[in-house]
Amino acid sequence: MSLAIDKFGHEPSEHEAENASNSYLMSLVAVVAGLPLPIMNLVATLFFYIGNRKGSHFVRWHCTQALLSQASLLPVNSIGFWWTISIIFSNEQISSKYIAYLITIVLFNLFDFIATMIAAVQTRKGIHVEWWLYGSVTNLICRA
Amino acid sequence: MNKILLQFFITVAVFATIYFGLSQIDWIAVLKVKEASKKTEEKLGDFFWELFSKADEEIHDEKTVAIIDSLVNHLCEANSIDQTKIKIHILKNGEVNAFTLPNNYLVIYSGLIKSTENEAELLGVVGHELAHMEKGHVMKKLIKEIGLSALISMTAGGGGQTVKEALKLLSSSAYDRDLEREADITSVEYMIRARIDPEPFANFMYRLSDKEKNLPSQAYWISTHPDSKERAEYIINYIKGKTFIKKPLLTESQWKELKERVKN
């Protein structure tokens, strides 16, 4: 997942930049608050997305990108969550495969977390940031 | 669109490669998971045994201990279970009960020996407890019901109420229905391999479930293992049509002697 800084169609206003940046902050706040269920980050970002459906293109574009990044983490994190639950409550044993999976999802979440922080800072400055994969998908579904 | 698909596949491939690479490492050995859990189990087992041994008098009579040891050893040998790790203790208590504690403690109450009519009935219950031990059900139950952190603090001398709860949980053998079924069937398999007739094990459950109405406090092993009739039935169904060699372990006089010694 790389971050590409592109020029957007127009120069976003101060208010637009703040709203776009907040869409990334929503998912960060949910992580920092230590919410245990992986769906919480997605829900937080989704609420913000719904709230800004009628915002400017710049705001909608970044809300969509933030939502996509959280949505893609959901299945990956959910597998880890339910795997852990089955170890605690059923006959499933801790295995090397389980630990390897946990490390992999921690790495992906960390990468996503850092990318989200950078995106939050850059969009706050009014700079348009397109992520690897999510940026392209967002361009496809979020038209001006 | 092609660009998106390409990026998607590359992302999935990166994820899969990292996972595959990491899963080649034996994390259980690297993180010493087994050693850490074994140490906790040892501490807990010793701690619980100390409490149980204080509550009831242990039977040290050489003949009784030798007979019980020989029966358990026979079951273990036939099923490649390392009998040297099992710490068998017979306690003087009227309850019809046997249970396992962490760190391979097998506790048998004299009430169980008294109420069984033959070695097969007794070994059915012992096999059931050995199955819980071998399949790691004991620690699983404790962690699930009490929580690992509470258990660890218990060995450090904390949590009086939790200790009581844990003792009740261990001696009541109230495992999940699935675990109970697994232990029952495993016990039957142990018995078949050891050339012991498993049918008396089912009969014993039938008998005690009937008695339970009159003797609720005595028939402890059965009253804490619900649906005993249903369990007796699936044991009977499991062995139906199977042929196996039955070979008595104790002579009639040895069995009588064991019961007599426990009574006294």
Side-chain angles (χ1 to χ4, degrees):
Chain A
M1 201 185 302
S2 67
L3 295 175
I5 297 172
D6 282 349
K7 282 214 182 294
F8 208 65
H10 75 281
E11 198 68 36
S13 69
E14 176 67 16
H15 180 66
E16 278 179 79
E18 195 180 344
N19 266 349
S21 174
N22 283 348
S23 66
Y24 296 102
L25 284 177
M26 282 307 281
S27 57
L28 287 183
V29 166
V31 173
V32 173
L35 294 167
L37 290 170
I39 199 164
M40 294 314 288
N41 296 4
L42 180 67
V43 169
T45 319
L46 183 68
F47 275 124
F48 200 78
Y49 173 80
I50 293 166
N52 285 287
R53 258 177 322 178
K54 290 191 177 125
S56 73
H57 182 222
F58 185 77
V59 176
R60 276 189 291 119
W61 197 97
H62 285 282
C63 283
T64 310
Q65 180 165 260
L67 184 68
L68 283 175
S69 81
Q70 292 307 315
S72 64
L73 279 179
L74 179 73
V76 171
N77 287 355
S78 293
I79 293 171
F81 176 76
W82 289 109
W83 198 341
T84 308
I85 291 290
S86 70
I87 285 174
I88 299 170
F89 294 108
S90 80
N91 282 340
E92 188 76 28
Q93 302 280 329
I94 290 184
S95 60
S96 289
K97 279 189 176 162
Y98 167 73
I99 297 171
Y101 188 78
L102 278 196
I103 298 171
T104 312
I105 60 170
V106 164
L107 286 175
F108 264 71
N109 277 274
L110 196 70
F111 202 74
D112 192 88
F113 187 83
I114 294 166
T116 306
M117 274 205 301
I118 295 170
V121 172
Q122 295 299 327
T123 46
R124 185 69 189 82
K125 290 178 193 163
I127 302 167
H128 179 63
V129 183
E130 274 189 28
W131 291 12
W132 161 273
L133 179 63
Y134 304 131
S136 310
V137 180
T138 309
N139 278 331
L140 203 71
I141 56 177
C142 192
R143 306 223 179 253
Chain B
M1 194 67 191
N2 282 345
K3 188 186 162 196
I4 293 171
L5 281 175
L6 182 70
Q7 287 182 340
F8 175 74
F9 284 121
I10 291 173
T11 309
V12 172
V14 168
F15 187 91
T17 308
I18 292 175
Y19 172 61
F20 182 76
L22 287 170
S23 61
Q24 298 309 303
I25 301 166
D26 185 359
W27 292 104
I28 300 291
V30 171
L31 301 172
K32 293 182 178 165
V33 174
K34 277 196 179 138
E35 283 88 337
S37 59
K38 203 174 167 230
K39 262 190 187 163
T40 312
E41 193 178 335
E42 276 171 14
K43 269 190 182 175
L44 277 172
D46 297 345
F47 172 75
F48 286 130
W49 165 242
E50 209 185 310
L51 296 176
F52 276 109
S53 65
K54 275 180 191 161
D56 290 304
E57 187 190 334
E58 186 172 1
I59 297 175
H60 291 291
D61 171 48
E62 270 180 34
K63 191 80 185 171
T64 310
V65 172
I67 293 174
I68 295 291
D69 276 352
S70 73
L71 288 173
V72 178
N73 285 351
H74 176 79
L75 206 58
C76 290
E77 265 173 31
N79 291 285
S80 314
I81 299 168
D82 176 16
Q83 63 261 48
T84 55
K85 71 177 184 191
I86 303 170
K87 304 162 190 81
I88 308 165
H89 295 282
I90 310 159
L91 292 181
K92 213 179 255 180
N93 190 312
E95 278 175 9
V96 182
N97 203 6
F99 49 88
T100 38
L101 300 177
N103 196 22
N104 306 315
Y105 280 94
L106 172 63
V107 180
I108 302 169
Y109 279 173
S110 56
L112 174 72
I113 303 171
K114 270 190 239 171
S115 68
T116 47
E117 286 179 358
N118 50 56
E119 62 190 24
E121 288 188 354
L122 177 62
L123 281 177
V125 176
V126 167
H128 175 100
E129 295 306 327
L130 282 180
H132 280 316
M133 192 186 281
E134 285 299 293
K135 293 185 179 290
H137 294 173
V138 192
M139 280 304 284
K140 196 139 249 192
K141 175 174 75 167
L142 278 173
I143 291 169
K144 185 181 162 185
E145 301 288 337
I146 293 171
L148 192 59
S149 58
L151 286 170
I152 293 167
S153 78
M154 208 182 282
T155 57
Q161 192 55 39
T162 326
V163 174
K164 271 187 197 165
E165 200 185 315
L167 290 181
K168 204 177 157 197
L169 203 69
L170 282 165
S171 64
S172 75
S173 310
Y175 291 89
D176 283 357
R177 216 181 153 97
D178 289 347
L179 298 186
E180 285 305 329
R181 195 188 170 97
E182 192 185 359
D184 282 339
I185 298 300
T186 309
S187 177
V188 171
E189 282 166 355
Y190 285 167
M191 292 173 91
I192 293 172
R193 270 183 234 126
R195 297 182 171 185
I196 303 158
D197 186 3
E199 204 177 321
F201 177 37
N203 293 343
F204 175 69
M205 285 211 264
Y206 268 129
R207 205 171 64 245
L208 278 190
S209 65
D210 282 342
K211 268 189 188 175
E212 195 183 350
K213 293 161 199 159
N214 309 323
L215 295 165
S217 61
Q218 295 295 303
Y220 207 68
W221 197 80
I222 282 297
S223 66
T224 55
H225 286 67
D227 310 317
S228 46
K229 268 197 179 157
E230 184 198 316
R231 292 170 60 202
E233 274 158 18
Y234 67 63
I235 290 173
I236 294 290
N237 283 333
Y238 185 78
I239 57 176
K240 204 184 270 174
K242 284 192 173 76
T243 48
F244 37 81
I245 310 153
K246 302 164 195 173
K247 200 177 155 196
L249 301 173
L250 301 175
T251 60
E252 191 71 26
S253 61
Q254 278 176 314
W255 176 253
K256 272 186 183 159
E257 192 186 357
L258 172 70
K259 302 254 295 181
E260 209 52 49
R261 281 177 178 270
V262 168
K263 245 181 224 171
N264 300 331

